[in-house]
Structure formats: C-alpha cells, structure tokens
Amino acid sequence: DANPATALDMVQRVPGFTIDGGDAVRGYAGGAGNVLIDGARPSTKNITLTAVLQAIPASQVERIELIRGERPGIDRQGAQLLVNVVRKQEQSATRSYTLSGYAYPDGIVRPSLRFETSRRTGSGGWEGSLLLSTNQDESGTGTRLRRDAQGQEIERADIAIDSPIKGGEARLAGDFPFAGGTLRGNGSLTYQDYRTRERLSFATGPFGGTGARIDDRIETVSGELGAEWTRQFGKALTSKVLLLGTRKDTAIRSASDEGGVTSDFASDSLADERILRIALDRPSDGGLGWEAGGEIAYNSLGSRAGLTLDGLPFALPNSNVIITEWRGDLFGRIKWQLTPAFQAEGTIRAEQSALRQRDRSNGESYGRDFTYVKPKLALQWDIGARDQLRLRAEREVSQLDFSDFASTASLIEGTIDAGNADLKPETAWILEAAWERRFIRDGAVTMTLRHDRIDNVLDRVAIGTLDAPGNIGRGTVNAAALGLSWPLDSLGLQGGRVNFDGEWRHSTVRDPITGNKRSITAKAPFAGEFHATLDRPELKSTFTLDVYFGQELTYSRIDEVRRTSAQPYVSLKWTYRPNTRLTLEASAENILSRRRERDRSLYDGPRNSGDLLFEESRSFRSRPGLFLSLRYQ
C-alpha cells in the first residue's frame, strides 16, 4: 500500500525495529549495525546503513526478514534483533536520478543531485551511487547575555549563525560467486566541507556598539576499501573472511575577532585503519551450535594543532603527536536451543591492544598495553506466539578515542582541551531485560530495563591549568526504554501508524573537583523520536509527521558548568508515487523553528575554590525550511 521506492522505505516500516548503524569504534565487531543484505553485513564502516539501503530499489527486494532468534549462517555480532533484506535472484538493471533541495525564508537554496545504478543477475550483481550535495545545518538568530556573580548584566549581544554544508560521495559495491562461496566488495570516497559563521552585535558591555565574528571550518576527506568472502561447507559450517581499510583526513581552521582581540586555531589529522577478520559459524540446528573467530586491526592517528591568542602562540600540550595501536580480538560463542521456545547464547571475548604515542615535537614516546576478557550471556524465551523475553548480562569495554590524546580547541564553544595520554578504557557490567509483545496484525511494543556499572568513567580532569578527558572512577547508568509500533486500523484510521522510540537515563559519578555526586558528562537523561504515517493508496500518497526530541546535556568541566538543550525538531512530509518510476517528496522542515540554548557558569579557577566570573545564556531559534525531492527510476 505504501508503494516503497527503496529498501530503506521498506525497512523503516518493520514493526518493532529501529535501524542501528553500529558504534563509531575501531575494528569491525563493535561497529556492525543490525541490518543484513542477503544474510551478510555490508563490508563498510564509512557508508551509513541508510545510504546502503537507499541504493537498493524496492523492485529488487524479494522480502524483508525480521530475525528474532537463531538463524543458520547469520553473523549476529551480538544483536538480538536483525533485519535481513533478501534480494531477488533474477536479472534486472535499474537507474535512478534524484534532484532535491532545501529552501529557506531568507532566499537561500541548497540543491543536491544523486545518481544510482545497479545490475543484478541470478548469481550476483553490483550497485553504484554518486552524490553531490549542499545543505544547511540549523542556522538562525538569537541573543547572548552575560551576568556577573551578583546577577547584574555585563554584556548583551545579538547573534546570527549560518552553517552551510557541501560534500560529495561516490560508492561502488558488488557481489559474485568466488571459490565456492560469495565475494562481496565495497569502495567509497567521501568529502565534506562544514562551515559555521557566527556574528555578534554588542548592544551593551565593554564592546557595546561594535561587532565580533567567529569563523569555523571542518574539511574531511575519507576513503574506504572492503571485501568479505563467505562460503558454506555443507549445511553445518559457514566461514567468513573480511578485509577492510579506511583513511580519513581532517583539517580544522577557526578564527575569531572579538573587540579587536583575535584568536586562530588550526588542526590537521590523518587517521588510518586496517582490519582482518575471520569467523566460523556452526548453527545450532535445534541443538548445540558454536561460532569462533578472531580479528586483528592496525590503527593510527597523526595530529598537529596550533593556537594563537591575540597574536601570541599558546602552548598546547600534546599538540603534535602520532598514536598507533595494534588490536587483537578472539571470540567464541556457544548457541544452545534448549527447547523450541527457549535458547541461550554464551560468548567469551579476549581483547588485547598495544597503544603507542610519540610526541613529534620533542621525540618523547609513551606506551600502554591493555588486556580484557569480556563474557556475555544472553537468554531468549518465546512466551507463546506474541511475547518474547530477552535477558542479557555482559561485560563491555569501550574504546579510547584517539582524538582525546591530542590537544584541540573550539573558538565557537570557547574551550581549550589538552590531550591526555594517561587514559584507560571504560569497563562496565551490563544487566538488561527486554520484553516484547506483538499485537493486532503487525503492532509491537518493547520495554527494556538496563543497569550499567561502570569502572574508569571517562569524563573531565585537569592537566595543568587546562581541561582534558580523563578517568574519574566508578559510575552507574540506569535506563528504561520504550519502543512502540501501533497500527491504527483498529481505531478506524485505515493506513495509519504511530512509532515511538525513547530511552530515559539516570547516571551518577563522583565529581573529581567537588567530591559530590553528579551526572556523567554529556549523558542525556532522555533521547527519543516519534513518527506518525498515514498511507492513502487511492491518492498514491503517504503523509508523515516526524518528531525528534532534543537532548539536554551537561558538561562538567574543571572551571565551568555548561548546559545545552534543544526543543523538538518537527517536520511534515508528503510523499507522492504516481507510478513505480516517479517519487515526489515535499516536506516542511523544522516547522516549530526550534530553540537551542546554551548556559555557562565560568569560574576563575576550579569550581570548588574559584570565584564565579560570569554566567552566560545563549539562545537562538533555527530557521524552518522547505525540502523538495524528485526521484525518477
């Protein structure tokens, strides 16, 4: 009834399922998402799952499988829910052209062009895409107000923010029979130029009657090559070999001028990753099954940064460093089908990494080695035909972000962060219970409770007089999540559906500055989204309401407490498909002109002993826009 144009349109309608693109981590195991293509994960980390699905025409899809239990030959990677997009094994060829653009009230138009082509045979095929895009991040106008410790106004300024984005993306992927199995390959090249221009007009204060500017530019070029070979030996064993390499070059340039006081920041970094992964899988087949394998990865990051304040160089620690890592990961998994309705899965992982950092300015080197064992137990119980209970106990180990080892600054945010080489990964014991109930024809509700007991919480510490990432001890996160997919046909609204996904979190950690308990830095107490769709086949149309709830974040820095918040982002969309070849989409974006706020309390020293310098309230409303898209296939 919805007349989908791509596999993405189809997957987004699977009841009780939300696309998860995986975590942005080094290695492949932790970065895998929850969508499969013909039973295999896309051999890419550089291209999003939504982009991969968007490149598959709906006409090539045989069916969509929601996998809620054990399936022979499926690489679950620990996910308890998977979607498998199964393509037709027949010859076909498609091309599509999409012309789209955003238009804003001030007359700015941001056009984009996307070209996709694919060819399938009974044994394999290939697809390619090319995207040239321009866009606009949330831009608008607002005010910035500063008050002293006594609450008296010391400065007021009007703000105008403009954030244009342009970029390009080229991708080629394919699969074909090879050596008794299937070889899947992927290559991509992406470019993005993200700019932020902030202009201030001071009405009061020491700069009253003058203006200020902050210009920020982040330019990124990245490339990726990946291949995976899969072969099934009889009905009992599946082998997989993955090779993946990525490279990312990032250049940051920032400049500000406030009342004649100038600042300049420049940073260049080059990240490199190479992965080899081998896995063997024997399905349970109603009894005992197993999976085993290993992964080895090499990662490196070279970073160079410089900062000047009013023409004078500012000394940044760890401003010219190269970080390298060799990482090994071995795993074994036992899968046991105890009864047709009850299955258990036990996993043991052993991870070892060797990190080395060299300061290229003075030749000093620093190294650390880490070894962790990560057990996991997952249970699944099908309680009748409509209910499923899922339990999980797991030890998780996070990865250190290489960028935390190098110094950086943000003139837009007004922060300087020192690099810290003395970091440990966060480790946590996770206890989770999820109950899923299917109702009516294709409705689903899932309620999840989770408790995280974290060691080595990565938060903020002091290095000299600067703020830096660092470990601050133990912490906890308690979370409750609700997922709902509710068809409204039973209420008399034919073709209607509402979807909600939300998670409420409460985190605690002891503040290293004050000694008091507080929330973990940048851990949002709530994150969620709401979608309502109405299919009207007689009008060949679908109407959609999308609501993305804004997050409230608190950053507890050494000499500052910063809080950011945003109102919900709301859009209304009309999709019109007069035939299988043509798709017209029109949407009103950000129709509530959502407001973003940032409040700062800045001290002249550590928060426990320093005096309050000022409190700053910054608020602006982002502009609404109109989006138009025409796709011809």
Side-chain angles (χ1 to χ4, degrees):
D1 291 342
N3 191 19
T6 69
L8 177 62
D9 299 328
M10 306 173 79
V11 172
Q12 288 176 331
R13 289 174 169 268
V14 175
F17 180 80
T18 301
I19 296 175
D20 180 2
D23 298 324
V25 295
R26 299 183 300 280
Y28 185 74
N34 60 354
V35 176
L36 311 176
I37 310 297
D38 295 328
R41 298 177 184 275
S43 56
T44 176
K45 292 176 60 179
N46 208 30
I47 303 298
T48 64
L49 275 179
T50 55
V52 172
L53 292 170
Q54 192 175 3
I56 301 175
S59 60
Q60 291 184 355
V61 178
E62 175 70 30
R63 64 185 182 274
I64 302 290
E65 298 177 340
L66 177 63
I67 302 174
R68 303 165 69 224
E70 176 62 19
R71 176 73 67 85
I74 293 296
D75 185 10
R76 298 177 63 89
Q77 296 274 327
Q80 293 182 295
L81 280 179
L82 290 170
V83 150
N84 184 25
V85 178
V86 182
R87 290 179 291 192
K88 297 176 181 177
Q89 298 300 310
E90 61 183 32
Q91 188 165 340
S92 66
T94 64
R95 290 182 181 178
S96 67
Y97 307 84
T98 304
L99 178 63
S100 60
Y102 289 87
Y104 297 93
D106 55 5
I108 293 178
V109 176
R110 304 290 185 190
S112 296
L113 177 64
R114 184 182 187 93
F115 169 70
E116 296 162 327
T117 181
S118 66
R119 183 177 295 274
R120 305 295 302 171
T121 66
S123 58
W126 58 272
E127 63 260 7
S129 63
L130 177 65
L131 171 66
L132 300 174
S133 66
T134 60
N135 204 341
Q136 185 88 17
D137 200 0
E138 292 186 57
S139 304
T141 57
T143 59
R144 192 183 80 177
L145 176 64
R146 286 182 177 176
R147 299 182 184 274
D148 60 20
Q150 290 72 43
Q152 299 297 314
E153 180 180 314
I154 58 177
E155 179 187 282
R156 180 186 294 272
D158 294 325
I159 302 174
I161 301 174
D162 182 37
S163 299
I165 309 171
K166 64 181 180 180
E169 176 186 287
R171 176 178 177 264
L172 182 64
D175 59 280
F176 56 90
F178 179 77
T182 300
L183 181 63
R184 298 175 175 87
N186 174 80
S188 66
L189 181 65
T190 62
Y191 168 79
Q192 186 182 75
D193 184 356
Y194 183 99
R195 305 190 184 200
T196 301
R197 306 184 186 100
E198 184 172 308
R199 300 293 182 262
L200 292 89
S201 299
F202 295 99
T204 62
F207 304 121
T210 65
R213 64 170 182 84
I214 305 174
D215 294 307
D216 193 64
R217 181 181 184 183
I218 304 175
E219 193 173 19
T220 305
V221 180
S222 59
E224 179 183 65
L225 287 174
E228 182 183 57
W229 177 68
T230 304
R231 180 175 177 178
Q232 189 168 345
F233 295 89
K235 296 183 178 180
L237 187 65
T238 301
S239 64
K240 297 184 179 182
V241 179
L242 172 79
L243 289 169
L244 187 65
T246 63
R247 195 173 179 89
K248 184 176 182 180
D249 190 350
T250 304
I252 301 175
R253 299 292 184 269
S254 298
S256 70
D257 186 341
E258 188 166 344
V261 178
T262 60
S263 302
D264 292 279
F265 175 74
S267 171
D268 294 281
S269 64
L270 180 62
D272 190 18
E273 179 174 39
R274 302 158 203 175
I275 302 170
L276 169 63
R277 176 180 172 84
I278 300 174
L280 295 173
D281 178 36
R282 185 186 187 280
S284 58
D285 195 22
L288 188 66
W290 56 267
E291 185 181 2
E295 179 178 304
I296 186 169
Y298 172 78
N299 294 272
S300 68
L301 174 71
S303 178
R304 184 192 306 268
L307 175 67
T308 61
L309 301 177
D310 203 18
L312 299 177
F314 184 89
L316 288 173
N318 299 314
S319 60
N320 186 6
V321 297
I322 183 168
I323 305 105
T324 60
E325 177 193 44
W326 280 100
R327 170 182 294 272
D329 188 353
L330 296 175
F331 71 91
R333 182 179 296 119
I334 297 294
K335 300 167 286 187
W336 193 5
Q337 190 78 37
L338 299 171
T339 70
F342 190 85
Q343 55 184 290
E345 180 181 298
T347 305
I348 189 77
R349 289 181 178 273
E351 171 191 307
Q352 185 173 26
S353 63
L355 281 166
R356 301 293 182 264
Q357 174 174 320
R358 181 169 61 87
D359 192 323
R360 292 182 290 195
S361 61
N362 55 27
E364 293 183 357
S365 297
Y366 182 80
R368 304 196 71 174
D369 297 333
F370 300 103
T371 301
Y372 296 100
V373 177
K374 302 178 289 184
K376 174 185 176 182
L377 176 64
L379 304 175
Q380 181 176 299
W381 181 23
D382 293 321
I383 311 171
R386 293 185 174 273
D387 295 273
Q388 187 179 86
L389 179 66
R390 299 188 289 266
L391 303 176
R392 175 172 70 102
E394 182 176 7
R395 189 191 191 207
E396 292 186 348
V397 179
S398 69
Q399 289 190 4
L400 296 175
D401 189 338
F402 278 4
S403 63
D404 289 340
F405 289 73
S407 294
T408 187
S410 173
L411 304 184
I412 289 285
E413 298 293 334
T415 58
I416 301 174
D417 292 331
N420 185 5
D422 190 21
L423 295 173
K424 294 180 180 179
E426 285 186 351
T427 60
W429 283 101
I430 312 294
L431 299 176
E432 182 181 85
W435 172 65
E436 177 190 292
R437 179 171 178 78
R438 300 273 159 171
F439 60 93
I440 314 178
R441 181 171 61 90
D442 56 356
V445 60
T446 304
M447 292 182 287
T448 306
L449 297 176
R450 192 182 75 250
H451 172 72
D452 303 356
R453 184 180 181 273
I454 309 172
D455 292 318
N456 303 319
V457 171
L458 191 59
D459 207 280
R460 312 301 299 179
V461 299
I463 292 186
T465 60
L466 295 178
D467 202 277
N471 302 105
I472 63 171
R474 288 185 173 178
T476 61
V477 177
N478 293 308
L482 173 65
L484 174 65
S485 181
W486 186 10
L488 304 180
D489 301 57
S490 60
L491 300 180
L493 188 58
Q494 297 298 317
R497 176 181 292 277
V498 295
N499 293 276
F500 172 82
D501 284 289
E503 182 175 89
W504 293 262
R505 312 181 189 104
H506 180 262
S507 64
T508 58
V509 72
R510 192 166 297 279
D511 192 299
I513 303 300
T514 66
N516 300 323
K517 287 189 174 181
R518 59 165 173 82
S519 62
I520 298 174
T521 289
K523 185 71 71 174
F526 172 74
E529 54 191 63
F530 172 86
H531 307 279
T533 58
L534 179 62
D535 294 327
R536 281 291 178 258
E538 69 277 10
L539 301 177
K540 301 180 179 180
S541 299
T542 297
F543 303 91
T544 308
L545 168 67
D546 295 318
V547 181
Y548 300 92
F549 298 100
Q551 298 188 34
E552 296 182 2
L553 302 175
T554 301
Y555 300 83
S556 300
R557 299 174 65 85
I558 304 305
D559 59 355
E560 176 188 342
V561 176
R562 177 182 304 224
R563 299 175 181 87
T564 65
S565 62
Q567 293 178 334
Y569 184 99
V570 182
S571 66
L572 284 170
K573 180 170 64 177
W574 169 52
T575 304
Y576 177 60
R577 297 188 179 102
N579 52 56
T580 58
R581 290 185 175 273
L582 190 62
T583 302
L584 175 65
E585 183 179 309
S587 62
E589 298 290 326
N590 192 23
I591 58 178
L592 298 183
S593 298
R594 76 164 168 179
R595 184 173 68 247
R596 288 181 170 273
E597 296 181 343
R598 185 186 74 189
D599 297 324
R600 302 171 60 198
S601 298
L602 190 66
Y603 299 82
D604 63 1
R607 287 179 282 112
N608 63 329
S609 59
D611 294 325
L612 181 66
L613 289 176
F614 62 81
E615 292 186 330
E616 178 185 281
S617 297
R618 181 179 181 271
S619 174
F620 82 96
R621 280 196 175 275
S622 53
R623 295 189 294 265
L626 178 65
F627 174 76
L628 292 173
S629 172
L630 180 65
R631 174 189 172 96
Y632 178 77
Q633 178 177 305

